[in-house]
Short mmCIF file of all heavy atoms in Angstrom, two decimals:
data_model
loop_
_atom_site.label_atom_id
_atom_site.label_comp_id
_atom_site.label_asym_id
_atom_site.label_seq_id
_atom_site.Cartn_x
_atom_site.Cartn_y
_atom_site.Cartn_z
N LYS W 1160 121.77 106.88 69.36
CA LYS W 1160 123.00 107.22 68.67
C LYS W 1160 123.81 105.89 68.29
O LYS W 1160 124.43 105.88 67.23
CB LYS W 1160 123.96 108.05 69.55
CG LYS W 1160 123.59 109.54 69.36
CD LYS W 1160 124.79 110.40 69.84
CE LYS W 1160 124.23 111.89 70.02
NZ LYS W 1160 124.86 112.59 71.16
N VAL W 1161 123.72 104.94 69.16
CA VAL W 1161 124.36 103.70 68.92
C VAL W 1161 123.93 103.18 67.55
O VAL W 1161 124.48 102.66 66.67
CB VAL W 1161 124.28 102.69 69.99
CG1 VAL W 1161 124.68 101.27 69.47
CG2 VAL W 1161 125.17 103.10 71.15
N THR W 1162 122.51 103.18 67.46
CA THR W 1162 121.85 102.64 66.23
C THR W 1162 122.23 103.50 65.01
O THR W 1162 122.55 102.79 63.97
CB THR W 1162 120.31 102.71 66.45
OG1 THR W 1162 119.97 102.08 67.63
CG2 THR W 1162 119.59 102.06 65.35
N GLN W 1163 122.33 104.72 65.13
CA GLN W 1163 122.73 105.52 63.96
C GLN W 1163 124.05 105.20 63.46
O GLN W 1163 124.30 105.09 62.30
CB GLN W 1163 122.72 107.01 64.33
CG GLN W 1163 121.34 107.73 64.45
CD GLN W 1163 121.27 109.00 65.17
OE1 GLN W 1163 122.32 109.47 65.52
NE2 GLN W 1163 120.10 109.65 65.25
N LYS W 1164 124.98 104.95 64.48
CA LYS W 1164 126.36 104.79 64.08
C LYS W 1164 126.84 103.29 63.85
O LYS W 1164 127.96 103.10 63.56
CB LYS W 1164 127.31 105.38 65.20
CG LYS W 1164 127.05 106.84 65.42
CD LYS W 1164 128.23 107.35 66.27
CE LYS W 1164 128.09 108.87 66.47
NZ LYS W 1164 129.17 109.35 67.34
N LEU W 1165 125.85 102.39 63.99
CA LEU W 1165 126.17 101.04 63.88
C LEU W 1165 126.94 100.72 62.52
O LEU W 1165 126.40 101.11 61.48
CB LEU W 1165 124.93 100.23 63.91
CG LEU W 1165 124.44 99.58 65.23
CD1 LEU W 1165 123.17 98.73 64.96
CD2 LEU W 1165 125.62 98.85 65.92
N GLY W 1166 127.99 100.00 62.64
CA GLY W 1166 128.59 99.42 61.34
C GLY W 1166 128.26 98.07 61.14
O GLY W 1166 127.18 97.59 61.76
N LYS W 1167 128.86 97.29 60.32
CA LYS W 1167 128.57 95.89 60.09
C LYS W 1167 128.89 95.09 61.45
O LYS W 1167 130.00 95.21 61.95
CB LYS W 1167 129.26 95.43 58.87
CG LYS W 1167 129.24 93.96 58.47
CD LYS W 1167 128.40 93.81 57.27
CE LYS W 1167 128.01 92.37 57.04
NZ LYS W 1167 127.12 91.74 58.00
N LEU W 1168 128.08 94.19 61.79
CA LEU W 1168 128.22 93.43 63.01
C LEU W 1168 128.48 91.96 62.67
O LEU W 1168 127.99 91.53 61.59
CB LEU W 1168 127.06 93.62 64.01
CG LEU W 1168 126.90 95.02 64.44
CD1 LEU W 1168 125.57 95.05 65.37
CD2 LEU W 1168 128.04 95.50 65.21
N SER W 1169 129.10 91.28 63.60
CA SER W 1169 129.15 89.80 63.35
C SER W 1169 128.08 89.21 64.12
O SER W 1169 127.93 89.39 65.33
CB SER W 1169 130.60 89.39 63.81
OG SER W 1169 130.48 88.15 64.49
N ILE W 1170 127.17 88.46 63.40
CA ILE W 1170 125.98 87.94 64.10
C ILE W 1170 125.90 86.45 63.96
O ILE W 1170 126.23 85.97 62.88
CB ILE W 1170 124.79 88.48 63.32
CG1 ILE W 1170 124.81 90.14 63.27
CG2 ILE W 1170 123.45 88.01 63.95
CD1 ILE W 1170 124.20 90.74 64.39
N GLN W 1171 125.58 85.76 65.00
CA GLN W 1171 125.18 84.43 64.93
C GLN W 1171 123.69 84.23 65.19
O GLN W 1171 123.16 84.70 66.19
CB GLN W 1171 125.98 83.51 65.86
CG GLN W 1171 127.37 83.16 65.42
CD GLN W 1171 128.11 82.37 66.38
OE1 GLN W 1171 127.48 81.69 67.20
NE2 GLN W 1171 129.48 82.48 66.38
N GLN W 1172 123.01 83.57 64.33
CA GLN W 1172 121.56 83.36 64.51
C GLN W 1172 121.22 82.79 65.85
O GLN W 1172 122.03 82.05 66.50
CB GLN W 1172 120.97 82.48 63.39
CG GLN W 1172 121.08 83.05 62.03
CD GLN W 1172 120.19 84.27 61.92
OE1 GLN W 1172 119.12 84.35 62.39
NE2 GLN W 1172 120.76 85.25 61.24
N GLY W 1173 120.03 83.07 66.33
CA GLY W 1173 119.48 82.34 67.58
C GLY W 1173 118.33 81.52 67.23
O GLY W 1173 117.98 81.27 66.03
N PRO W 1174 117.60 80.94 68.25
CA PRO W 1174 116.53 80.08 67.99
C PRO W 1174 115.41 80.82 67.37
O PRO W 1174 115.34 82.09 67.46
CB PRO W 1174 116.19 79.53 69.36
CG PRO W 1174 116.76 80.51 70.30
CD PRO W 1174 117.94 81.11 69.69
N LYS W 1175 114.40 80.19 66.64
CA LYS W 1175 113.31 80.82 66.16
C LYS W 1175 112.12 80.28 66.80
O LYS W 1175 111.54 79.26 66.39
CB LYS W 1175 113.19 80.61 64.61
CG LYS W 1175 114.51 80.93 63.81
CD LYS W 1175 114.13 81.93 62.73
CE LYS W 1175 115.41 82.51 62.09
NZ LYS W 1175 116.06 83.46 62.91
N PRO W 1176 111.53 81.00 67.74
CA PRO W 1176 110.30 80.48 68.37
C PRO W 1176 109.09 80.50 67.50
O PRO W 1176 109.02 81.34 66.66
CB PRO W 1176 110.13 81.44 69.57
CG PRO W 1176 110.76 82.66 69.19
CD PRO W 1176 111.86 82.32 68.23
N ASP W 1177 108.32 79.36 67.59
CA ASP W 1177 107.07 79.52 66.92
C ASP W 1177 105.99 79.20 67.91
O ASP W 1177 106.30 79.08 69.08
CB ASP W 1177 107.10 78.39 65.83
CG ASP W 1177 107.74 77.18 66.32
OD1 ASP W 1177 107.46 76.75 67.52
OD2 ASP W 1177 108.59 76.56 65.69
N ASN W 1178 104.83 79.03 67.48
CA ASN W 1178 103.77 78.48 68.47
C ASN W 1178 103.50 77.12 68.25
O ASN W 1178 102.28 76.74 68.42
CB ASN W 1178 102.59 79.49 68.37
CG ASN W 1178 102.77 80.77 69.14
OD1 ASN W 1178 103.29 80.68 70.30
ND2 ASN W 1178 102.50 81.88 68.51
#
Side-chain angles (χ1 to χ4, degrees):
Chain W
K1160 275 198 194 147
V1161 165
T1162 306
Q1163 282 164 2
K1164 297 194 177 176
L1165 267 185
K1167 174 109 191 75
L1168 300 175
S1169 143
I1170 307 275
Q1171 280 180 21
Q1172 294 296 317
K1175 305 235 171 289
D1177 41 44
N1178 279 314

